[in-house]
Amino acid sequence: MTPTITAFERSPDGGKGLARDTRVRWALEEVRQPYEVRLVSFKAMKEPAHLALHPFGQIPTYEEGDLALFESGSIVFHIAQTHRGLLPDDANARARAITWMFAALSTVEPPILELSTARFAEGNKPWADERLPLVKDRIRDRFNQLSARLGPADWLDGGFSAGDLMMVSVLLRLKASGMLDEYPNLSAYVARGEARPAYKRAFDAQLAVFTGKSAGSLA
Ligand SMILES: N[C@@H](CCC(=O)N[C@@H](CS)C(=O)NCC(=O)O)C(=O)O
């Protein structure tokens, strides 16, 4: 059955791939699972039909037959569990790859999101200039640790996995800030993720929503 995901009708990032449908598209493209996309407006996201799918009125969601999921982490995990290619067969290696998914979402993503909040939602507060360096330091703490763990390896634990997909997705939000450039192995890691054909297809598909051009994705 072809799953349907939701994405922004008009993403605030204008197609830079930062909305979280991109990571779901990426997972679907990695496993070569065709999918459909339903675009939703900000207004529609807060209406009952969408709230029935996503209690917080956000994207992405994932529908497949009787199953409806929200949370990009849970969706990517489901895709990885039900297809070959994103999680290793060995039970321990699989558990470690899943651990990296959680690490990306619960340990690395929060300080990165805090930076967006500090810049955009709180940028005009009288204390904004004082808070910004503190937020950046918290990101650097995580980046130092992640960079040390990755070292010269291509991926976090052996071959590319859903853990890398999630970590690269999370790090990509900071690419434009220049902060990643302070960590050459992390920027190379992100570049390796972006160079994957499946990522490119996913990126092009989300961009096509803005350009109106066919992305040639599996959808
Ligand atoms: N933890 C959620 C976050 C979802 C989320 O923040 N979605 C954003 C787009 S990337 C959204 O829908 N924002 C609109 C809103 O919150 O009203 C996930 O990973 O799926």
Side-chain angles (χ1 to χ4, degrees), residues 82-145:
T82 52
H83 299 77
R84 292 189 65 81
L86 281 173
L87 288 173
D89 290 336
D90 174 77
N92 286 356
R94 197 176 177 92
R96 288 196 304 272
I98 294 166
T99 299
W100 279 116
M101 288 185 67
F102 276 87
L105 292 170
S106 60
T107 302
V108 180
E109 191 169 51
I112 292 177
L113 295 176
E114 232 187 298
L115 183 62
S116 303
T117 306
R119 275 192 176 140
F120 304 115
E122 300 168 348
N124 58 357
K125 302 284 183 206
W127 35 261
D129 286 349
E130 276 178 77
R131 176 160 141 78
L132 208 55
L134 303 176
V135 173
K136 286 186 174 174
D137 281 350
R138 282 198 283 276
I139 293 173
R140 287 195 180 95
D141 284 347
R142 288 291 175 248
F143 280 10
N144 280 324
Q145 294 159 327

Side-chain angles (χ1 to χ4, degrees), residues 8 19-20 23 42 45-46 57-60 71-72:
F8 281 134
R20 290 172 179 82
R23 56 183 68 161
F42 269 88
M45 279 195 300
K46 310 300 174 195
Q58 297 180 314
I59 59 101
E71 284 295 334
S72 60

Side-chain angles (χ1 to χ4, degrees), residues 6 40 45-46 50-51 54-61 71:
T6 51
V40 287
M45 279 195 300
K46 310 300 174 195
H50 189 76
L51 286 171
H54 196 309
F56 307 114
Q58 297 180 314
I59 59 101
T61 59
E71 284 295 334

Side-chain angles (χ1 to χ4, degrees), residues 129-193:
D129 286 349
E130 276 178 77
R131 176 160 141 78
L132 208 55
L134 303 176
V135 173
K136 286 186 174 174
D137 281 350
R138 282 198 283 276
I139 293 173
R140 287 195 180 95
D141 284 347
R142 288 291 175 248
F143 280 10
N144 280 324
Q145 294 159 327
L146 187 64
S147 170
R149 171 53 80 101
L150 179 66
D154 278 357
W155 306 114
L156 286 165
D157 192 319
F160 176 82
S161 77
D164 296 297
L165 184 152
M166 201 52 82
M167 191 64 82
V168 169
S169 297
V170 161
L171 297 178
L172 269 167
R173 188 173 293 277
L174 276 195
K175 196 177 152 189
S177 75
M179 282 184 77
L180 267 176
D181 301 335
E182 298 168 30
Y183 303 85
N185 68 336
L186 293 186
S187 9
Y189 172 64
V190 169
R192 264 191 298 282

